[in-house]
Amino acid sequence: MLISVIGAGYVGLVTGACLAHLGNEVRVVDIDRARIERLRGGEVPIHEPGLDELVAAGLANGRLSFHADQSGTYGSQLVIVAVGTLDRAGEWYGELVERAVRGLAEDSRAPRHLVVRSTLMPGTAVRLEALAQAIDPDVRLCFNPEFTREAVAVRDFLEPDRVVVGAGRDAQALVQELHELYAPMGRTILDTDLTSAETIKLASNVFLATKISFANELARLCAATGADVHAVVDGMGLDLRIGRSFLSPGPGFGGSCFPSQVRALPELARSFGIEAPIIAAVDQSNLGQADWLIDGLERARGASLAGSRVALLGLTFKANTDDLRESPALRLAERLVARGARVVAYDPKATEAGVVQLAAGGVTVDAAPSAAEAVIDADAVVVGTEWAEFGALDWAALAPRMRGRIIADARRIIDRDAALAAGLTVVAMGVTHTPDGGGAAARIAVPVTAAAAV
Ligand code: UDX
């Protein structure tokens, strides 16, 4: 099929490059002329494994092209709207989507078949459809959300668990085109209405974030009772009704999706006068994880971190990306500095950008050129992001050059046996491992109430 995509960001670029890879001719449109020029030269502005190769292949075989204005959509059977939905404060913002839909509807040479792929608050697609059809009754609109994670977006696009198609009014022909577009993947295609499709997307993300926060709060409880939270989530995850994924405790969740959507969904409920206390609690729970983690480090260390030098390994919100948006590792840096620690940070992809972003928020952090150089002379080490290279650090060589003897491995990525053999203590989400083989969680006297004794 000949299709076009509006928006050359994370969603639009992955969508365009993958659909070209599947044999379609795809024209990607973005108003950022500089970005379009760089893309025409094969320069991909985002770090996404596998995307560079797909863009290069699409440019080479002519199935992928980049255009700086809407005329790039002319002649397409359908146009996918994949523009950004975050405002400067990182909150969900639908204006760019509305502007794109309105612009397409007003331009009779643009396709009449519109597919929105940007994440929408439930109820938005119906309003966009009415807006577009008020301009041109021939417009047909569908909502086709993406479920791609950063750092694995190409794989998630090409091997989705499911494709969701939310159909607008009289949009059967467009639905058929979307089925044709996704048929090569051989995956389940779920047809539903616009608002249900929007809710599937948002609810899936917020549920995953809730699952993570549940694991994070479990870590706090396990640290108090002496249970090993990692054994607990492994045991829970074996229950197929629960599943192990997105149940790993850590410093909290970050990124451009979970945090904004976890704030937006309860807001939407409140706009209808509906209380959603579980969903509304997730954001606060998430924000509290950094302080709980640092409390545990100070407890295990037996001293406050004030005045100490702390090496912070990892600044991005997850490994294999350069994205710092609402990163929990940045929250760890803020909280450590707030407690009077001097933080020396390193990230394989974003040290400078992370230090600059922290400074813009009034948080001063030093940059280290490598993980090893951050660790040398450190009183404590905190691992905030699960970069594979942190798993290869040589603790036998590094431990003697540290001032302190403790590592808080919030992502369980380091070689714990090597660290213990080097005489270090490792705190992994409330479970303290000591060189003498102690693996019990830090025990804190837990009052046994009559009820608990039953
Ligand atoms: C998410 C959704 O997974 C994806 O389906 C949606 O399309 C976009 O938003 P993304 O934000 O890119 O994807 O990354 P994801 O892998 O979901 O991680 C989000 C955050 O949760 C990261 O900070 C990650 O470190 C954290 N996380 C994830 C945990 O803390 N524990 C887990 O078990 C899993």
Side-chain angles (χ1 to χ4, degrees):
M1 289 174 71
L2 168 56
I3 65 169
S4 46
V5 177
I6 305 275
Y10 274 99
V11 175
L13 259 185
V14 169
T15 298
C18 288
L19 288 175
H21 172 69
L22 291 173
N24 301 285
E25 184 187 340
V26 184
R27 298 171 182 168
V28 177
V29 176
D30 197 295
I31 54 172
D32 181 338
R33 287 188 179 280
R35 175 175 280 238
I36 290 298
E37 283 314 313
R38 287 202 303 271
L39 282 162
R40 282 177 173 160
E43 185 191 335
V44 178
I46 58 174
H47 173 74
E48 193 55 60
L51 185 58
D52 292 41
E53 294 80 354
L54 288 182
V55 169
L59 287 170
N61 63 33
R63 287 207 296 267
L64 185 61
S65 59
F66 297 100
H67 307 262
D69 64 52
Q70 194 160 279
S71 62
T73 69
Y74 297 170
S76 301
Q77 282 177 264
L78 59 87
V79 53
I80 296 173
V81 176
V83 297
T85 53
L86 287 184
D87 64 14
R88 291 183 189 286
E91 302 307 328
W92 185 84
Y93 172 76
E95 293 308 307
L96 296 180
V97 180
E98 179 175 328
R99 203 177 300 164
V101 167
R102 185 186 297 279
L104 289 163
E106 287 170 343
D107 183 349
S108 58
R109 289 163 297 176
R112 298 299 84 190
H113 282 183
L114 275 52
V115 180
V116 179
R117 194 157 172 79
S118 304
T119 299
L120 297 178
M121 284 303 121
T124 307
V126 168
R127 285 198 302 277
L128 290 173
E129 179 186 55
L131 174 154
Q133 290 175 347
I135 295 166
D136 180 346
D138 291 338
V139 167
R140 294 292 176 267
L141 186 140
C142 280
F143 178 64
N144 167 228
E146 45 81 28
F147 297 95
T148 51
R149 292 163 292 172
E150 284 187 39
V152 285
V154 169
R155 188 179 71 200
D156 281 352
F157 185 100
L158 295 173
E159 301 165 15
D161 291 342
R162 76 319 204 171
V163 174
V164 171
V165 174
R169 211 160 46 82
D170 300 332
Q172 292 77 3
L174 175 51
V175 168
Q176 195 47 47
E177 286 171 343
L178 285 171
H179 277 251
E180 184 187 327
L181 196 59
Y182 288 113
M185 295 176 185
R187 301 288 169 137
T188 302
I189 299 180
L190 175 76
D191 288 316
T192 185
D193 62 275
L194 290 174
T195 308
S196 300
E198 290 169 315
T199 307
I200 290 169
K201 164 65 182 175
L202 200 66
S204 299
N205 268 8
V206 173
F207 180 76
L208 291 171
T210 305
K211 206 177 167 184
I212 294 166
S213 295
F214 186 90
N216 286 340
E217 291 187 7
L218 263 190
R220 304 176 196 174
L221 177 64
C222 291
T225 63
D228 178 339
V229 65
H230 307 292
V232 171
V233 293
D234 284 346
M236 290 173 65
L238 290 169
D239 184 326
L240 295 183
R241 294 169 300 172
I242 298 172
R244 179 61 182 76
S245 65
F246 284 72
L247 204 53
S248 299
F253 57 79
S256 62
C257 296
F258 284 0
S260 62
Q261 292 165 21
V262 150
R263 294 189 292 262
L265 191 54
E267 197 54 45
L268 179 72
R270 274 191 288 275
S271 73
F272 289 99
I274 294 163
E275 285 311 308
I278 292 176
I279 301 174
V282 174
D283 184 42
Q284 281 311 310
S285 170
N286 187 50
L287 294 176
Q289 192 66 1
D291 273 315
W292 170 79
L293 207 150
I294 298 167
D295 288 346
L297 172 59
E298 290 186 327
R299 226 178 2 254
R301 185 172 179 257
S304 156
L305 287 165
S308 65
R309 184 185 191 278
V310 177
L312 177 59
L313 303 185
L315 293 176
T316 53
F317 86 97
K318 63 186 278 194
N320 304 317
T321 177
D322 57 3
D323 198 340
L324 293 159
R325 289 178 287 184
E326 303 213 33
S327 169
L330 295 183
R331 245 189 321 272
L332 283 170
E334 288 162 14
R335 305 309 305 145
L336 285 164
V337 168
R339 293 180 190 226
R342 179 176 155 240
V343 174
V344 181
Y346 165 76
D347 183 281
K349 283 282 181 191
T351 305
E352 285 314 315
V355 169
V356 165
Q357 183 166 318
L358 285 164
V363 179
T364 302
V365 161
D366 295 332
S370 70
E373 288 176 77
V375 167
I376 291 167
D377 295 335
D379 296 298
V381 177
V382 176
V383 181
T385 311
E386 68 286 14
W387 287 99
E389 70 175 73
F390 300 154
L393 286 173
D394 177 0
W395 297 105
L398 287 172
R401 302 183 65 185
M402 287 172 56
R403 274 208 307 247
R405 318 301 303 145
I406 195 159
I407 302 170
D409 184 7
R411 299 290 197 163
R412 294 185 88 215
I413 188 76
I414 72 162
D415 180 343
R416 186 165 69 222
D417 293 340
L420 295 175
L424 299 175
T425 292
V426 179
V427 184
M429 293 312 299
V431 184
T432 298
H433 300 271
T434 52
D436 62 6
R443 289 180 181 283
I444 300 168
V446 179
V448 179
T449 59
V454 168

